[in-house]
Short mmCIF file of all heavy atoms in Angstrom, two decimals:
data_model
loop_
_atom_site.label_atom_id
_atom_site.label_comp_id
_atom_site.label_asym_id
_atom_site.label_seq_id
_atom_site.Cartn_x
_atom_site.Cartn_y
_atom_site.Cartn_z
N VAL A 29 0.88 -1.22 0.03
CA VAL A 29 -0.01 0.01 0.00
C VAL A 29 0.92 1.30 0.00
O VAL A 29 0.64 2.20 -0.76
CB VAL A 29 -0.95 0.01 1.18
CG1 VAL A 29 -1.63 1.35 1.35
CG2 VAL A 29 -1.94 -1.12 1.08
N LEU A 30 1.89 1.27 0.85
CA LEU A 30 2.79 2.43 0.94
C LEU A 30 3.55 2.71 -0.39
O LEU A 30 3.75 3.83 -0.82
CB LEU A 30 3.70 2.33 2.14
CG LEU A 30 3.02 2.48 3.53
CD1 LEU A 30 4.01 2.14 4.60
CD2 LEU A 30 2.48 3.88 3.65
N VAL A 31 4.07 1.59 -0.95
CA VAL A 31 4.83 1.75 -2.22
C VAL A 31 3.97 2.29 -3.35
O VAL A 31 4.38 3.14 -4.11
CB VAL A 31 5.47 0.36 -2.57
CG1 VAL A 31 5.92 0.37 -4.06
CG2 VAL A 31 6.63 0.03 -1.65
N VAL A 32 2.74 1.84 -3.42
CA VAL A 32 1.80 2.31 -4.39
C VAL A 32 1.35 3.78 -4.07
O VAL A 32 1.35 4.63 -4.97
CB VAL A 32 0.55 1.43 -4.55
CG1 VAL A 32 -0.46 2.00 -5.51
CG2 VAL A 32 0.97 0.05 -4.99
N LEU A 33 1.06 4.01 -2.85
CA LEU A 33 0.62 5.34 -2.44
C LEU A 33 1.63 6.45 -2.69
O LEU A 33 1.36 7.42 -3.21
CB LEU A 33 0.23 5.26 -0.99
CG LEU A 33 -0.71 6.37 -0.42
CD1 LEU A 33 -2.03 6.31 -1.15
CD2 LEU A 33 -0.89 6.18 1.06
N LEU A 34 2.91 6.13 -2.35
CA LEU A 34 4.02 7.10 -2.60
C LEU A 34 4.32 7.22 -4.08
O LEU A 34 4.77 8.29 -4.48
CB LEU A 34 5.22 6.68 -1.80
CG LEU A 34 5.15 6.76 -0.26
CD1 LEU A 34 6.50 6.32 0.38
CD2 LEU A 34 4.77 8.14 0.21
N GLY A 35 4.06 6.13 -4.83
CA GLY A 35 4.29 6.25 -6.25
C GLY A 35 3.27 7.17 -6.96
O GLY A 35 3.61 7.87 -7.91
N ILE A 36 2.05 7.17 -6.38
CA ILE A 36 1.00 8.01 -7.01
C ILE A 36 0.94 9.41 -6.37
O ILE A 36 0.75 10.44 -7.02
CB ILE A 36 -0.35 7.34 -6.81
CG1 ILE A 36 -0.33 5.99 -7.55
CG2 ILE A 36 -1.46 8.19 -7.35
CD1 ILE A 36 -1.57 5.13 -7.28
N PHE A 37 1.24 9.48 -5.07
CA PHE A 37 1.19 10.73 -4.29
C PHE A 37 2.59 11.05 -3.64
O PHE A 37 2.62 10.96 -2.39
CB PHE A 37 0.06 10.76 -3.31
CG PHE A 37 -1.32 10.51 -3.82
CD1 PHE A 37 -1.92 9.27 -3.67
CD2 PHE A 37 -1.97 11.44 -4.62
CE1 PHE A 37 -3.19 9.04 -4.15
CE2 PHE A 37 -3.21 11.25 -5.15
CZ PHE A 37 -3.84 10.01 -4.91
N PRO A 38 3.58 11.27 -4.41
CA PRO A 38 4.90 11.51 -3.79
C PRO A 38 4.96 12.76 -2.87
O PRO A 38 5.87 12.87 -2.02
CB PRO A 38 5.83 11.77 -5.01
CG PRO A 38 4.93 12.11 -6.09
CD PRO A 38 3.61 11.42 -5.91
N ARG A 39 3.95 13.65 -2.97
CA ARG A 39 3.96 14.83 -2.08
C ARG A 39 3.74 14.43 -0.68
O ARG A 39 3.99 15.23 0.26
CB ARG A 39 2.88 15.82 -2.57
CG ARG A 39 1.45 15.23 -2.51
CD ARG A 39 0.40 16.32 -2.89
NE ARG A 39 0.49 17.51 -2.06
CZ ARG A 39 -0.22 18.56 -2.21
NH1 ARG A 39 -1.09 18.66 -3.25
NH2 ARG A 39 -0.13 19.59 -1.36
N LEU A 40 3.32 13.18 -0.37
CA LEU A 40 3.16 12.74 0.99
C LEU A 40 4.56 12.84 1.75
O LEU A 40 4.61 12.92 2.96
CB LEU A 40 2.60 11.31 1.05
CG LEU A 40 1.15 11.15 0.57
CD1 LEU A 40 0.82 9.64 0.48
CD2 LEU A 40 0.26 11.90 1.43
N ILE A 41 5.63 12.69 1.02
CA ILE A 41 6.99 12.89 1.50
C ILE A 41 7.48 14.25 1.21
O ILE A 41 8.08 14.94 2.08
CB ILE A 41 7.89 11.81 1.01
CG1 ILE A 41 7.42 10.38 1.44
CG2 ILE A 41 9.36 12.02 1.53
CD1 ILE A 41 7.47 10.17 2.99
N LEU A 42 7.33 14.66 -0.02
CA LEU A 42 8.01 15.86 -0.55
C LEU A 42 7.43 17.10 0.13
O LEU A 42 8.18 18.15 0.33
CB LEU A 42 7.81 15.97 -2.02
CG LEU A 42 8.47 14.81 -2.83
CD1 LEU A 42 8.18 15.01 -4.34
CD2 LEU A 42 9.96 14.72 -2.63
N ASP A 43 6.21 17.17 0.53
CA ASP A 43 5.63 18.33 1.21
C ASP A 43 6.33 18.56 2.56
O ASP A 43 6.34 19.72 3.02
CB ASP A 43 4.10 18.10 1.43
CG ASP A 43 3.32 18.46 0.18
OD1 ASP A 43 3.94 18.87 -0.83
OD2 ASP A 43 2.07 18.27 0.21
N TYR A 44 6.80 17.51 3.22
CA TYR A 44 7.52 17.69 4.46
C TYR A 44 8.99 18.16 4.21
O TYR A 44 9.51 18.95 5.00
CB TYR A 44 7.61 16.33 5.18
CG TYR A 44 6.34 15.91 5.81
CD1 TYR A 44 5.42 15.10 5.14
CD2 TYR A 44 5.94 16.39 7.10
CE1 TYR A 44 4.23 14.72 5.71
CE2 TYR A 44 4.72 16.00 7.65
CZ TYR A 44 3.88 15.17 6.96
OH TYR A 44 2.63 14.80 7.55
N SER A 45 9.55 17.78 3.16
CA SER A 45 10.98 18.06 2.89
C SER A 45 11.25 19.26 2.08
O SER A 45 12.36 19.81 2.10
CB SER A 45 11.69 16.90 2.27
OG SER A 45 11.10 16.61 0.99
N ASN A 46 10.27 19.82 1.36
CA ASN A 46 10.57 20.86 0.40
C ASN A 46 11.23 22.10 1.00
O ASN A 46 12.25 22.61 0.45
CB ASN A 46 9.30 21.30 -0.32
CG ASN A 46 8.82 20.30 -1.44
OD1 ASN A 46 9.68 19.56 -1.93
ND2 ASN A 46 7.60 20.32 -1.82
N GLU A 47 10.66 22.64 2.03
CA GLU A 47 11.21 23.88 2.62
C GLU A 47 12.58 23.65 3.17
O GLU A 47 13.47 24.49 3.01
CB GLU A 47 10.26 24.42 3.71
CG GLU A 47 8.90 24.86 3.21
CD GLU A 47 8.93 26.03 2.18
OE1 GLU A 47 10.02 26.71 2.14
OE2 GLU A 47 8.04 26.24 1.50
N THR A 48 12.81 22.52 3.85
CA THR A 48 14.10 22.24 4.42
C THR A 48 15.17 22.10 3.32
O THR A 48 16.26 22.64 3.39
CB THR A 48 14.07 20.98 5.28
OG1 THR A 48 13.09 21.06 6.23
CG2 THR A 48 15.41 20.71 5.92
N ILE A 49 14.83 21.38 2.25
CA ILE A 49 15.81 21.15 1.18
C ILE A 49 16.04 22.44 0.40
O ILE A 49 17.18 22.73 0.02
CB ILE A 49 15.34 19.97 0.29
CG1 ILE A 49 15.49 18.67 1.03
CG2 ILE A 49 16.06 19.99 -1.05
CD1 ILE A 49 15.00 17.45 0.28
N ASN A 50 15.03 23.25 0.16
CA ASN A 50 15.29 24.54 -0.46
C ASN A 50 16.19 25.41 0.33
O ASN A 50 17.09 26.06 -0.22
CB ASN A 50 13.89 25.29 -0.70
CG ASN A 50 13.05 24.63 -1.75
OD1 ASN A 50 13.60 23.97 -2.68
ND2 ASN A 50 11.77 24.85 -1.71
N PHE A 51 16.03 25.42 1.67
CA PHE A 51 16.95 26.20 2.54
C PHE A 51 18.34 25.61 2.43
O PHE A 51 19.42 26.31 2.40
CB PHE A 51 16.46 26.12 3.94
CG PHE A 51 17.45 26.75 4.93
CD1 PHE A 51 17.69 28.07 4.97
CD2 PHE A 51 18.14 25.93 5.78
CE1 PHE A 51 18.59 28.64 5.88
CE2 PHE A 51 19.04 26.42 6.72
CZ PHE A 51 19.25 27.81 6.75
N PHE A 52 18.46 24.25 2.42
CA PHE A 52 19.73 23.54 2.31
C PHE A 52 20.46 24.02 1.02
O PHE A 52 21.68 24.35 1.05
CB PHE A 52 19.47 22.03 2.24
CG PHE A 52 20.61 21.15 2.76
CD1 PHE A 52 20.36 20.03 3.45
CD2 PHE A 52 21.97 21.50 2.50
CE1 PHE A 52 21.43 19.21 3.89
CE2 PHE A 52 23.02 20.69 2.93
CZ PHE A 52 22.71 19.60 3.68
N ILE A 53 19.79 24.03 -0.12
CA ILE A 53 20.36 24.45 -1.33
C ILE A 53 20.81 25.89 -1.30
O ILE A 53 21.85 26.28 -1.84
CB ILE A 53 19.40 24.14 -2.54
CG1 ILE A 53 19.13 22.68 -2.59
CG2 ILE A 53 20.01 24.67 -3.87
CD1 ILE A 53 20.41 21.73 -2.84
N GLU A 54 20.04 26.74 -0.64
CA GLU A 54 20.40 28.15 -0.48
C GLU A 54 21.72 28.29 0.24
O GLU A 54 22.57 29.09 -0.07
CB GLU A 54 19.30 28.90 0.26
CG GLU A 54 18.02 29.19 -0.55
CD GLU A 54 16.96 29.84 0.28
OE1 GLU A 54 17.34 30.35 1.33
OE2 GLU A 54 15.83 29.86 -0.16
N GLN A 55 21.84 27.47 1.33
CA GLN A 55 23.12 27.50 2.09
C GLN A 55 24.31 27.05 1.29
O GLN A 55 25.37 27.63 1.33
CB GLN A 55 23.03 26.61 3.32
CG GLN A 55 21.93 27.01 4.33
CD GLN A 55 22.10 28.45 4.81
OE1 GLN A 55 21.47 29.38 4.35
NE2 GLN A 55 23.03 28.68 5.68
N ILE A 56 24.11 26.07 0.39
CA ILE A 56 25.22 25.63 -0.47
C ILE A 56 25.54 26.67 -1.50
O ILE A 56 26.73 26.88 -1.85
CB ILE A 56 24.84 24.31 -1.14
CG1 ILE A 56 24.74 23.19 -0.11
CG2 ILE A 56 25.83 23.93 -2.23
CD1 ILE A 56 24.22 21.85 -0.67
N SER A 57 24.52 27.37 -1.99
CA SER A 57 24.76 28.36 -3.09
C SER A 57 25.55 29.58 -2.54
O SER A 57 26.26 30.21 -3.30
CB SER A 57 23.41 28.85 -3.64
OG SER A 57 22.69 29.57 -2.64
N LYS A 58 25.51 29.79 -1.22
CA LYS A 58 26.27 30.88 -0.62
C LYS A 58 27.81 30.67 -0.64
O LYS A 58 28.54 31.62 -0.62
CB LYS A 58 25.81 31.07 0.82
CG LYS A 58 24.41 31.64 0.98
CD LYS A 58 24.05 31.82 2.42
CE LYS A 58 22.58 32.31 2.57
NZ LYS A 58 22.24 32.41 3.97
N VAL A 59 28.25 29.43 -0.78
CA VAL A 59 29.63 29.15 -0.81
C VAL A 59 30.13 28.88 -2.25
O VAL A 59 31.33 28.68 -2.45
CB VAL A 59 30.01 27.91 0.11
CG1 VAL A 59 29.59 28.13 1.48
CG2 VAL A 59 29.40 26.63 -0.49
N GLN A 60 29.22 28.91 -3.22
CA GLN A 60 29.66 28.78 -4.60
C GLN A 60 30.42 30.05 -5.06
O GLN A 60 30.06 31.17 -4.78
CB GLN A 60 28.48 28.59 -5.52
CG GLN A 60 27.90 27.20 -5.43
CD GLN A 60 26.74 26.91 -6.42
OE1 GLN A 60 25.86 27.80 -6.49
NE2 GLN A 60 26.81 25.87 -7.14
N PRO A 61 31.57 29.82 -5.77
CA PRO A 61 32.33 31.05 -6.25
C PRO A 61 31.60 31.80 -7.30
O PRO A 61 30.73 31.29 -7.99
CB PRO A 61 33.61 30.40 -6.80
CG PRO A 61 33.23 28.97 -7.13
CD PRO A 61 32.16 28.56 -6.15
#
């Protein structure tokens, strides 16, 4: 059920991680030359 559910509705995970990962990438971009 979970494998099918996440395959159809990946936002069940991505909605939790989006803001954190966007901030993570912002932090990395600050050290780019």
